[in-house]
Amino acid sequence: MTQLSLENIKWNVRKIANYRIEVLVRNSTWHAQYYLLTVKNNVVVDSTSRCIVAPLENGKCQVNPYNADDYMVSGIFEKADSEIKSNDIQWIKIEYDPSYGFPKYISFYVPSVMDSDWLWAVTSFEEL
């Protein structure tokens, strides 16, 4: 059993269906965006997003369209699973929330490739 599987079991055992989560997604130095979701009965009932001005955005950023379900805990587990199964696993780093088990931090970084890095980071989580 993989660590991801064990952490997924830890999450599922808690049976948390109502929560608020904020996820930061940074795509190298080109764009960063926060997603704040409210989930009730495992369905997104509210979501907002805001961007952070990146160096190459000339002082303005635009919130990109998004699928809120991607940033639910289940979506974050899917992202981690997809990255673990990729050919780039040696460049992937995943850290898990010690209490809840979900991937709290997923990042990709190849030191020899400029601007190849990205990350997904859970910046806040609250049971409702």
Side-chain angles (χ1 to χ4, degrees):
M1 204 173 243
T2 67
Q3 183 175 3
L4 181 65
S5 298
L6 292 171
E7 299 295 344
N8 201 338
I9 290 168
K10 183 190 289 184
W11 168 256
N12 288 330
V13 163
R14 295 184 70 121
K15 297 185 188 299
I16 299 169
N18 303 307
Y19 58 91
R20 187 170 292 117
I21 188 169
E22 183 179 63
V23 181
L24 168 64
V25 175
R26 184 182 50 77
N27 299 316
S28 188
T29 58
W30 306 106
H31 188 78
Q33 196 159 310
Y34 281 95
Y35 305 92
L36 177 61
L37 313 176
T38 301
V39 176
K40 293 194 177 170
N41 296 317
N42 292 313
V43 174
V44 176
V45 296
D46 187 42
S47 73
T48 60
S49 183
R50 68 188 190 329
C51 57
I52 302 167
V53 177
L56 297 177
E57 291 179 312
N58 296 321
K60 297 179 184 176
C61 64
Q62 181 175 344
V63 173
N64 292 332
Y66 63 98
N67 178 357
D69 290 353
D70 292 344
Y71 306 103
M72 293 175 51
V73 170
S74 59
I76 297 169
F77 270 109
E78 288 173 17
K79 174 69 172 172
D81 184 55
S82 172
E83 295 304 327
I84 287 169
K85 291 176 180 173
S86 76
N87 292 330
D88 296 322
I89 186 62
Q90 70 269 23
W91 308 113
I92 299 294
K93 179 180 179 183
I94 301 174
E95 295 176 9
Y96 299 92
D97 184 273
S99 299
Y100 296 102
F102 57 76
K104 187 172 178 141
Y105 183 87
I106 307 167
S107 67
F108 175 82
Y109 176 64
V110 181
S112 62
V113 179
M114 182 183 279
D115 296 334
S116 66
D117 60 309
W118 56 259
L119 74 83
W120 283 34
V122 175
T123 55
S124 70
F125 181 84
E126 173 189 12
E127 287 185 66
L128 299 177

